[in-house]
Amino acid sequence: MTPTLYWKDGNVEMLDQSRLPTEVTYVTCADAATVARGIKELWVRGAPAIGVAAAMGMALGARPLAEGSGDDFARELAGVGDMLISQRPTAVNLEWAVRQVMGYVKTNCEKPVADLKKQLVDLSQRMLEEDIATCRAIGAAGAHLMPDSGGVLTHCNAGALATGGYGTALGVIRAAVEAGKSIQVYADETRPVLQGARLTAWELMQDDIDVTLICDNMAAHVMGLGRVRAVVVGADRIARNGDAANKIGTYGVAILAREHNIPFYVAAPLSTVDFSIASGAQIPIEERPGHEITRVFGQTQIAPEGVKVFNPAFDVTPARYIAAIITERGAVRPEDLHRLADPGVDVAPLLVR
Ligand code: MRU
């Protein structure tokens, strides 16, 4: 799998996903500001991947800070964290990753700042590796929910490219294929930024997983033809009640799935669950520039100059449409999700089999 991010010679190499699938190029990030730009401009995207990018951005942002008191260092680093978090509001993983780093700094603030700076690089690397392991656990927890054969529809890209590696929704599909299931993936192209066409189709083809690209407005027809036996998508933030924010268009897919009696699954790590909010109404929805809709990649104009545009990047699927939320601790019904806030809870009785 093509890595999304990695450390090389003290800098972060970030795959520029805005250029895929025609160019596979990496941007060298030597400071937090470049990582922030990469998050904003979608060089790196997908909730878990931007979390890992933020952790690496914190390590880069720590580098030029004064090596005086641990408290001063923590205060200045918190400013770097706020700057990174402000790039994209919906995916909670960004905030989660910054909080993890700040937690580490605060519990170790008696150590020399020079040592802390090195340790933040190691911490971000561990977070990358843990993210891959988490995705594999999500895959293992959800593979049994996939049909033994037939079509599975997904929206946007919740794959290796959206995570440290392996993917969440695509991780479930990968694990099912590895278990011998014969799955044909239908990838919604995912207007306006086309993560399905550019990224999901490319990523699955690299792995020789059967994928068919459709326009977003074809999903109902394809379901009506009986070609889809399950839907699995990722999430950017899930509320305590199981309402799940994901790429714009996901909510519509969930309604279509319900109409056609097709199970609709959300696959995400627990770091994507915001246990502090009661429902999806509290999830901030990012609005992106109008040119993403009026122009093809900022170039060819496809709408009248000056037209008013509304471009929300995410929508919220109400929990009632979700058959199960697949996490690294297992697949549970949305109404049981809140119980996973307790790391000691026995999940066995909650699992969807
Ligand atoms: O705007 P993007 O490309 O960052 O949106 C990504 C998604 O909506 C993904 O489905 C979500 O982050 C889950 S990624 C495992």
Side-chain angles (χ1 to χ4, degrees), residues 1-2 136 159-160 165-167 170-171 173-175 177-178 199-211:
M1 279 174 241
T2 309
R136 287 196 177 271
Y166 202 71
L170 296 193
I173 290 173
R174 277 197 171 91
V177 170
E178 284 162 15
L199 309 178
T200 295
W202 182 78
E203 174 179 331
L204 292 178
M205 287 173 78
Q206 298 271 308
D207 256 14
D208 266 338
I209 295 176
D210 185 324
V211 58

Side-chain angles (χ1 to χ4, degrees), residues 86-279:
S86 69
Q87 303 307 314
R88 297 197 75 190
T90 302
V92 74
N93 307 59
L94 191 51
E95 205 177 307
W96 174 87
V98 168
R99 271 206 313 270
Q100 298 284 109
V101 173
M102 289 310 301
Y104 182 87
V105 169
K106 284 182 185 146
T107 40
N108 292 282
C109 65
E110 80 295 343
K111 290 187 181 165
V113 168
D115 292 355
L116 278 177
K117 289 182 178 181
K118 289 194 198 99
Q119 288 163 12
L120 291 190
V121 174
D122 298 341
L123 175 63
S124 67
Q125 178 61 27
R126 278 201 304 281
M127 287 167 74
L128 170 72
E129 286 158 18
E130 278 165 19
D131 185 57
I132 299 171
T134 299
C135 286
R136 287 196 177 271
I138 290 171
H144 71 285
L145 299 171
M146 296 293 100
D148 288 339
S149 65
V152 174
L153 186 136
T154 190
H155 190 78
C156 193
N157 173 268
L161 292 168
T163 59
Y166 202 71
T168 55
L170 296 193
V172 170
I173 290 173
R174 277 197 171 91
V177 170
E178 284 162 15
K181 297 193 175 192
S182 169
I183 289 177
Q184 292 92 51
V185 179
Y186 284 94
D188 279 352
E189 65 173 348
T190 317
R191 276 275 291 158
V193 181
L194 304 176
Q195 289 92 335
R198 295 186 305 104
L199 309 178
T200 295
W202 182 78
E203 174 179 331
L204 292 178
M205 287 173 78
Q206 298 271 308
D207 256 14
D208 266 338
I209 295 176
D210 185 324
V211 58
T212 301
L213 179 63
I214 58 171
C215 298
D216 299 332
N217 54 6
M218 295 171 188
H221 179 68
V222 174
M223 288 182 187
L225 292 174
R227 294 200 193 178
V228 179
R229 300 192 53 201
V231 175
V232 61
V233 298
D236 289 84
R237 189 185 297 234
I238 306 176
R240 198 164 63 228
N241 72 343
D243 292 349
N246 190 48
K247 179 54 54 194
I248 191 75
T250 303
Y251 177 25
V253 173
I255 294 170
L256 294 177
R258 169 62 52 87
E259 173 65 20
H260 292 88
N261 286 318
I262 297 166
F264 177 92
Y265 301 109
V266 172
L270 286 170
S271 56
T272 298
V273 184
D274 186 347
F275 289 107
S276 74
I277 58 171
S279 83

